[in-house]
């Protein structure tokens, strides 16, 4: 049922031309169900609705999967990028700094989640990272002509993609490359 509902939403949103759409719909549907069960701590009641669970925005599994797919798309669109041109001095603005700070908290979040046997820590961390990344994405063009700026921003996008994919893997959610 989760797969069918995810497929309906994909079609409604004009995303039915995706390669392997059946598999992507299954990944989204199962990911949505998994996420909603793990996002809240075990001692809290959850009111379930398909509409909320399958949203591509807000605090949902599909939102995380979509952010991962967006990162993948940006990397693909950038093409060959000379990462030797990265200039850390370009990471000076507050929005970029917030993304870097969130990336830096990944390891401690995993340790805390493991020590307390609380997967919601990872889910909440991933939402925070995705929100900070999407703010960055909305403020700055990523694929630009300036090679130094492009390399610096693509390096950050790559780091976010890697952490999102790994974090989703830790909570048993697949990260489709396109959605």
């Amino acid at each position: 049922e989760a797969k069918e509902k995810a497929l309906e939403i994909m079609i409604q949103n004009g995303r039915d031309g995706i390669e392997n759409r059946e598999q992507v719909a299954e990944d989204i549907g199962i990911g949505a169900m998994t996420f909603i069960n793990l996002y809240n701590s075990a001692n809290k009641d959850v009111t379930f609705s398909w509409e909320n669970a399958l949203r591509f925005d807000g605090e949902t599994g599909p939102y995380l999967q979509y952010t991962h797919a967006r990162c993948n798309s940006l990397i693909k669109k950038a093409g060959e990028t000379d990462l030797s041109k990265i200039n850390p001095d370009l990471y000076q603005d507050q929005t970029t700094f917030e993304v870097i700070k969130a990336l830096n908290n990944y390891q401690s979040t995993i340790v805390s989640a493991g020590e307390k046997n609380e997967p919601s820590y990872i889910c909440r961390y991933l939402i925070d990272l995705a929100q900070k990344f999407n703010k960055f994405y909305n403020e700055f063009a990523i694929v630009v002509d300036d090679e130094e700026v492009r390399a610096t921003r693509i390096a950050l996008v790559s780091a976010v993609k890697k952490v999102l994919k790994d974090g989703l893997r830790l909570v048993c959610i697949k990260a489709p490359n396109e959605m």
Side-chain angles (χ1 to χ4, degrees):
E1 188 173 352
K3 174 184 174 181
E4 293 306 315
K5 291 199 177 290
L7 191 54
E8 286 174 24
I9 291 169
M10 288 172 63
I11 291 168
Q12 288 171 1
N13 293 333
R15 294 186 174 112
D16 56 333
I18 293 173
E19 188 176 317
N20 302 321
R21 77 178 185 173
E22 295 284 327
Q23 182 62 52
V24 171
E26 184 172 315
D27 293 346
I28 292 169
I30 292 172
M33 297 297 300
T34 302
F35 186 83
I36 205 159
N37 284 304
L38 297 178
Y39 181 70
N40 295 297
S41 59
N43 60 355
K44 291 192 177 185
D45 290 337
V46 176
T47 303
F48 177 79
S49 87
W50 283 114
E51 183 180 320
N52 289 334
L54 290 167
R55 285 189 4 240
F56 279 49
D57 60 353
E59 298 174 357
T60 67
Y63 173 70
L64 295 175
Q65 292 169 311
Y66 184 72
T67 302
H68 173 269
R70 173 177 280 160
C71 289
N72 193 61
S73 175
L74 288 166
I75 293 165
K76 190 175 179 180
K77 185 177 179 184
E80 289 293 319
T81 302
D82 185 357
L83 296 181
S84 69
K85 296 192 184 281
I86 294 171
N87 180 356
D89 291 336
L90 296 175
Y91 292 140
Q92 297 298 319
D93 61 274
Q94 188 63 33
T95 302
T96 304
F97 180 71
E98 290 298 321
V99 175
I100 292 169
K101 196 164 75 171
L103 287 167
N104 192 50
N105 291 332
Y106 182 52
Q107 185 174 4
S108 64
T109 300
I110 293 170
V111 170
S112 292
E115 288 174 350
K116 295 182 174 131
N117 196 25
E118 190 58 74
S120 68
Y121 289 10
I122 295 171
C123 294
R124 291 181 182 279
Y125 165 82
L126 292 173
I127 289 294
D128 181 61
L129 175 62
Q131 289 170 339
K132 287 176 177 164
F133 170 75
N134 282 309
K135 182 177 180 189
F136 167 79
Y137 170 79
N138 287 319
E139 283 186 30
F140 300 102
I142 311 296
V143 183
V144 295
D145 291 335
D146 184 313
E147 288 183 43
E148 186 180 70
V149 172
R150 183 175 64 239
T152 303
R153 291 181 181 161
I154 286 296
L156 189 61
V157 171
S158 295
V160 169
K161 177 188 174 215
K162 181 178 179 182
V163 169
L164 285 173
K165 183 173 186 166
D166 190 61
L168 287 168
R169 179 189 60 79
L170 288 174
V171 293
C172 300
I173 296 174
K174 292 184 180 177
N177 286 327
E178 68 175 329
M179 285 177 62

